[in-house]
Amino acid sequence: MAINSYDFQTIAPIQNWIGGEYREASSGESLDVINPRHGKVMTSVGMSNADDVQAAVDAAQAAFEGWKATPMRERAQVMYRFKALMERDFEELAWVISHENGKVYNEAVGSVAKAIECTEFGCSLPNLPLGETLYVSRGVTCSTIREPLGVCAGVTPFNFPYMVPLWMLPQALVGGNTFVLKPSEQVPVGADFLARLLHEAGLPPGVLNVVHGGKPAVEALTDNETIKAMGFVGSTRVAKLLYARGAQTGRRMLCLGSAKNHLLVVPDADLEMTAVDVVRSFTGVAGQRCMAASALIGVGDFDPILEAIVTHASKLIPGKDVGPVITKQSYERIMGYINDAEAAGGKILLDGRNAKVEGAEGGYWIGPTIIEVTKDMPAYTDEIFGPVLSVVRTKTLDEALELENSHIYGNGGSIYTTSGATARYASQRINAGMTGINIGVPVPREPFGFGGWEYSKFGHGDITGMDGYHFWTRPRKLTTKWALQPDATWMS
Ligand code: NAD
């Protein structure tokens, strides 16, 4: 495919990738994949059933012993080659997700760069001290050795078609597992691209399998007892269900869910930095980021900062700076939140409802929107997942913290201030797994773990960095003695 502009283009239908070859979904059913900029069908994807899932699991199981026996250093070499191939195809990778996901090109470029960074962590694993050894008693040594689990699975959302699968694959594969990936049916092209590049990089057949589809495929994966661990990233609605369902068969589940990230702004915050950051955070990827700022809690007289935020956001041009939202249904949901907030007395400070983009009139466009709301309105309580900032006023920082703490989600949260004391006070009290000080999108970079708290994550540990490696491996505790010790104690 040679996509290198926003012009609408169609591509060949996407099939499953199982055991190193393409296979049609056995159901014979397919789903249209829509380019959200144009609102037109760009391709279709096969919708898999339990038979397809079983075929992928069988291929992964057949490949497991050979891959496990391959030294980690050689497994990592595949990732090095994969990274080089992503760099070779950088622009095409970016345009592909611009087309299927709607990101404006610069955001798509950032997405590819982030995917490469995730891969680098996998490359580095053989150079890290991954086990421990201690001489624990006379003649006795204890060691931990991390071993692969077997066949693992990942289910991923629409908003980062490369990064989220690559939150999982480098650690899982370099760790010696084989894998079945079920990407979002809304963005199957990116996942297919990754599978092709990994194949070209020398990943043996069956080590990575990609099964496309929706709920039936995900449920079949979750119920498949050959699968030892499953990572899920998506909405809390699904994360919570799958966590409980997968745990019934005793496998490891790590399910990352939705968010309502709060930015707390006090009057002493740096006006320019805060305004630029807040706008980038709530409009980036059209607000369709689990780390997007979606609730701005202004403390006291923060009006000059709010005015600067509105001014900055009003300069962004849909189509150039802000992409469309993913589907017509998302568009309608987001418009519903804005309309309902207005009807309930919310004050629209910036209205993106009339956004239009020349040459892309069929796209799902909503421009940056800022609404002043009250804490009981759904525009504040719910995740909107669009370019909408809900502003709530409080009198004190404690009141702002109380509001943030009482929200059901706990993914990200930041304090904007120039006072070290205020920053320390708030950052120790924000109830979010990823906390920021003067950062609009407080995403931890590799080698740190990524993961929220409360209803933003179900399961123990985090998904990236060393936490990810630990999730996809298990420690063997090896205790060794080579000779009877004359000075043996009860410990020997
Ligand atoms: P989604 O939950 O609708 O879909 C995610 C995956 O689950 C897809 O692969 C989809 O096919 C599958 N799925 C959907 N409904 C299902 C069902 N009923 N049963 C089984 N599987 C089902 O999420 P989405 O719309 O693709 O992504 C947006 C959501 O993801 C937002 O809530 C966002 O906050 C969240 N997200 C969270 C993180 C994080 O790290 N916490 C990262 C990215 C996105």
Side-chain angles (χ1 to χ4, degrees):
M1 117 196 41
I3 296 177
N4 56 12
S5 76
Y6 289 126
D7 293 346
F8 179 73
Q9 241 178 285
T10 55
I11 62 166
I14 301 297
Q15 298 179 350
N16 290 336
W17 174 255
I18 297 178
E21 57 188 40
Y22 283 113
R23 293 196 208 167
E24 299 265 13
S26 56
S27 67
E29 288 170 21
S30 66
L31 183 80
D32 287 342
V33 177
I34 312 280
N35 172 325
R37 171 174 280 264
H38 296 280
K40 293 200 285 193
V41 179
M42 62 180 272
T43 185
S44 64
V45 61
M47 295 298 276
S48 305
N49 60 22
D51 292 341
D52 302 305
V53 166
Q54 191 58 50
V57 171
D58 289 347
Q61 179 73 357
F64 176 60
E65 286 303 328
W67 185 241
K68 180 185 172 190
T70 305
M72 180 184 257
R73 204 160 273 287
E74 288 177 32
R75 297 195 297 248
Q77 286 303 318
V78 176
M79 285 295 149
Y80 275 107
R81 292 193 290 272
F82 172 59
K83 172 178 158 10
L85 294 174
M86 280 199 283
E87 284 160 351
R88 181 194 70 187
D89 293 348
F90 196 103
E91 282 184 29
E92 196 180 353
L93 282 159
W95 278 117
V96 161
I97 52 163
S98 175
H99 276 240
E100 70 170 354
N101 169 282
K103 287 175 207 273
V104 292
Y105 184 66
N106 283 346
E107 290 172 346
V109 162
S111 259
V112 180
K114 181 66 195 169
I116 289 174
E117 186 177 281
C118 293
T119 305
E120 284 167 359
F121 184 75
C123 296
S124 67
L125 278 171
N127 298 316
L128 295 173
L130 299 175
E132 290 162 336
T133 297
L134 200 61
Y135 183 55
V136 291
S137 185
R138 289 171 174 77
V140 181
T141 304
C142 278
S143 314
T144 53
I145 302 156
R146 297 208 75 95
E147 297 186 356
L149 299 171
V151 179
C152 297
V155 176
T156 53
F158 78 83
N159 61 339
F160 282 91
Y162 302 135
M163 179 189 79
V164 176
L166 290 171
W167 278 354
M168 304 181 191
L169 292 175
Q171 287 92 327
L173 298 184
V174 176
N177 302 284
T178 55
F179 208 90
V180 181
L181 174 68
K182 205 304 286 174
S184 166
E185 63 276 35
Q186 288 161 339
V187 293
V189 188
D192 179 63
F193 207 151
L194 295 185
R196 275 191 288 125
L197 291 185
L198 277 162
H199 178 66
E200 191 182 342
L203 193 71
V207 174
L208 170 66
N209 307 276
V210 183
V211 173
H212 297 283
K215 185 177 172 185
V218 177
E219 290 185 344
L221 271 177
T222 315
D223 294 343
N224 193 303
E225 295 197 21
T226 304
I227 292 172
K228 300 288 189 231
M230 184 162 153
F232 171 88
V233 180
S235 61
T236 287
R237 177 182 62 86
V238 183
K240 195 162 178 266
L241 281 173
L242 294 187
Y243 181 67
R245 190 165 176 149
Q248 277 174 13
T249 50
R251 88 213 30 212
R252 278 184 200 184
M253 299 292 290
L254 183 56
C255 300
L256 275 61
S258 309
K260 189 81 181 179
N261 305 309
H262 287 53
L263 299 186
L264 278 45
V265 177
V266 299
D268 73 15
D270 181 287
L271 185 139
E272 186 62 16
M273 179 171 76
T274 308
V276 169
D277 265 25
V278 171
V279 173
R280 280 193 188 139
S281 179
F282 93 87
T283 62
V285 194
Q288 300 169 117
R289 280 194 290 204
C290 68
M291 289 297 282
S294 43
L296 178 75
I297 314 299
V299 178
D301 178 17
F302 79 116
D303 289 78
I305 300 174
L306 182 57
E307 279 163 29
I309 290 170
V310 174
T311 304
H312 273 284
S314 66
K315 291 182 186 149
L316 298 185
I317 302 169
K320 177 176 167 281
D321 305 312
V322 187
V325 298
I326 187 75
T327 55
K328 191 160 185 287
Q329 291 87 328
S330 295
Y331 172 87
E332 283 163 2
R333 188 193 66 239
I334 298 162
M335 291 294 261
Y337 277 111
I338 304 171
N339 293 338
D340 290 353
E342 187 178 38
K347 199 164 136 198
I348 310 275
L349 305 177
L350 182 65
D351 194 346
R353 284 176 291 186
N354 292 319
K356 288 199 174 39
V357 175
E358 210 184 304
E361 285 76 9
Y364 311 127
W365 300 105
I366 300 178
T369 299
I370 303 177
I371 328 171
E372 205 174 311
V373 297
T374 51
K375 63 181 182 183
D376 53 333
M377 290 184 192
Y380 169 70
T381 56
D382 298 359
E383 180 187 54
I384 298 178
F385 224 54
V388 180
L389 185 68
S390 301
V391 181
V392 179
R393 289 177 186 271
T394 61
K395 290 198 175 67
T396 63
L397 179 57
D398 282 331
E399 207 188 313
L401 285 164
E402 203 180 305
L403 203 54
E404 191 279 336
N405 283 199
S406 58
H407 209 283
I408 60 163
Y409 300 123
N411 214 39
S414 277
I415 172 78
Y416 273 89
T417 179
T418 47
S419 153
T422 305
R424 169 176 273 230
Y425 183 83
S427 64
Q428 289 174 345
R429 288 167 177 78
I430 287 173
N431 190 30
M434 294 173 280
T435 307
I437 298 174
N438 297 319
I439 300 280
V441 184
V443 170
R445 305 273 295 265
E446 274 63 23
F448 294 94
F450 183 105
W453 293 345
E454 307 298 341
Y455 269 53
S456 292
K457 189 183 73 185
F458 302 85
H460 177 73
D462 285 331
I463 195 103
T464 62
M466 196 52 88
D467 296 279
Y469 175 67
H470 286 167
F471 179 72
W472 301 110
T473 55
R474 60 186 174 187
R476 181 185 292 282
K477 283 74 68 179
L478 183 67
T479 307
T480 310
K481 179 172 77 209
W482 288 104
L484 191 61
Q485 298 293 303
D487 55 351
T489 67
W490 64 273
M491 291 280 285
S492 314

